[in-house]
Amino acid sequence: MKGPIGIFDSGYGGLTILHGIRQLLPEYDYLYLGDNARAPYGPRSFDVVYEFTRQAVIKLFDMGCHLVILGCNTASAKALRTIQQRDLPTIDPARRVLGIIRPTAEVIGTLTKSRHVGVLATEGTIKSESYTLEIQKQYPDITVSGVACPFWVPLVEYNEADSPGADYFVKKRIDEIMRKDPAIDAIILGCTHYPLLMPKILKYMPTGVRIVPQGEYVAESLKRYFEKHPEIEARCSRGAGVRYLTTENPEKFKEQAQIFLHEDVSVENITLG
């Protein structure tokens, strides 16, 4: 039986991943699940993030998904490998869970000339060093520097991304990463909320430094994945529909979705755990 492509995030940022994928692959059905009641995942331990993510993946499998994308950098950094290696063989070896760190790591080598790359992300993603490990696995010659941006997510979620106050926090972290390594010529936005700060990021980013958001690269990676794995693609239904699920207040989710997607959505409440 065919089912939708599941996209999971601890909060709202995964909506930018969903948007990027739907731009390129609009014909499929999608099921988005936000664990908004327990967000943010960034400061939480590996064990907690793993358990919460596992619960969400099982829920999406139970709702018919054969493929789940962790549209959350923290979940991709702290839970993906364990779920792939330990849980999938016992839950259902035919199902798949993919993350969003590797697709960006795979293309970064084509986007930097200096071979010095920066990563701006949450504290959890930076501490995990997942980007450094993935990038250097593909491109051992690239130097990676990371800086955590703890206030960037709240700026987006409280609809302050365009406010004058956002300038201080955005400039501070960009200045910090460029001080850390002035040779950087490409910076990965390693959190799915950050593209909504793009006007401020562009304002303070030094000339010649390329900004790399994830949505389009994840979408292109998924398209390539389907070409290599037609048996997985064949299990994904094509009705061009999207359902939204949240563990929080559906009305609050609708307000936030308006910020991220600029469209009205209908949302259902579910429980995890």
Side-chain angles (χ1 to χ4, degrees), residues 184-186 206-210:
I184 285 171
D185 70 348
T207 307
V209 177
R210 181 167 189 158

Side-chain angles (χ1 to χ4, degrees), residues 244-246 249-251 253-254 257 265-269:
Y244 297 91
L245 311 172
T246 179
N249 183 321
E251 287 306 313
F253 188 100
K254 283 177 78 166
V265 300
S266 58
V267 190
E268 304 159 53
N269 179 260

Side-chain angles (χ1 to χ4, degrees), residues 107-117 142 183-186 210:
V107 299
I108 197 65
T110 65
L111 305 177
T112 171
K113 291 193 178 117
S114 70
R115 315 311 278 174
H116 289 255
V117 169
I142 290 181
I184 285 171
D185 70 348
R210 181 167 189 158

Side-chain angles (χ1 to χ4, degrees), residues 6-268:
I7 297 181
F8 168 68
D9 186 18
S10 58
Y12 305 103
L15 293 168
T16 62
I17 299 296
L18 172 63
H19 178 72
I21 293 173
R22 284 180 70 201
Q23 293 285 104
L24 188 65
L25 303 167
E27 66 271 30
Y28 296 94
D29 291 314
Y30 297 94
L31 182 56
Y32 183 91
L33 168 55
D35 188 13
N36 309 89
R38 301 189 292 195
Y41 280 14
R44 294 187 183 273
S45 71
F46 271 72
D47 289 345
V48 170
V49 171
Y50 159 67
E51 182 53 35
F52 287 179
T53 306
R54 190 181 70 86
Q55 290 169 6
V57 167
I58 289 170
K59 174 67 81 173
L60 288 166
F61 283 170
D62 288 346
M63 297 184 78
C65 299
H66 296 277
L67 169 68
V68 172
I69 296 164
L70 304 184
C72 170
N73 284 277
T74 304
S76 295
K78 293 183 175 182
L80 176 64
R81 193 167 300 236
T82 308
I83 287 172
Q84 286 175 333
Q85 293 176 355
R86 194 164 78 193
D87 296 310
L88 279 184
T90 54
I91 297 169
D92 185 346
R95 301 195 192 225
R96 295 289 181 271
V97 180
L98 305 176
I100 59 172
I101 291 173
R102 181 177 287 181
T104 320
E106 284 174 347
V107 299
I108 197 65
T110 65
L111 305 177
T112 171
K113 291 193 178 117
S114 70
R115 315 311 278 174
H116 289 255
V117 169
V119 179
L120 297 172
T122 64
E123 184 184 359
T125 299
I126 296 298
K127 278 186 175 172
S128 75
E129 298 195 330
S130 294
Y131 272 99
T132 304
L133 294 168
E134 276 297 338
I135 291 169
Q136 291 184 336
K137 202 188 294 178
Q138 312 270 345
Y139 307 101
D141 62 315
I142 290 181
T143 300
V144 184
S145 302
V147 165
C149 308
F151 293 104
W152 286 23
V153 168
L155 283 170
V156 171
E157 294 203 348
Y158 287 103
N159 210 7
E160 295 289 328
D162 297 325
S163 71
D167 287 71
Y168 170 78
F169 293 106
V170 171
K171 183 177 187 302
K172 182 178 182 181
R173 299 308 175 191
I174 290 173
D175 289 350
E176 183 180 343
I177 201 162
M178 295 311 299
R179 273 198 310 272
K180 207 168 183 182
D181 182 358
I184 285 171
D185 70 348
I187 290 181
I188 294 169
L189 302 184
C191 173
T192 51
H193 282 68
Y194 295 178
L196 276 82
L197 288 162
M198 193 65 85
K200 304 285 189 195
I201 293 168
L202 288 168
K203 184 175 175 182
Y204 295 109
M205 194 64 72
T207 307
V209 177
R210 181 167 189 158
I211 304 163
V212 185
Q214 295 173 290
E216 64 185 277
Y217 299 109
V218 172
E220 286 164 7
S221 177
L222 179 59
K223 189 178 180 189
R224 288 195 303 272
Y225 183 84
F226 279 159
E227 287 164 3
K228 286 182 191 169
H229 301 278
E231 75 285 1
I232 303 294
E233 191 276 339
R235 295 193 200 115
C236 298
S237 57
R238 292 167 170 249
V242 191
R243 281 176 69 196
Y244 297 91
L245 311 172
T246 179
T247 56
E248 241 271 10
N249 183 321
E251 287 306 313
K252 187 180 176 193
F253 188 100
K254 283 177 78 166
E255 285 174 26
Q256 292 290 328
Q258 187 70 41
I259 297 169
F260 283 84
L261 301 174
H262 306 294
E263 63 179 91
D264 284 324
V265 300
S266 58
V267 190
E268 304 159 53

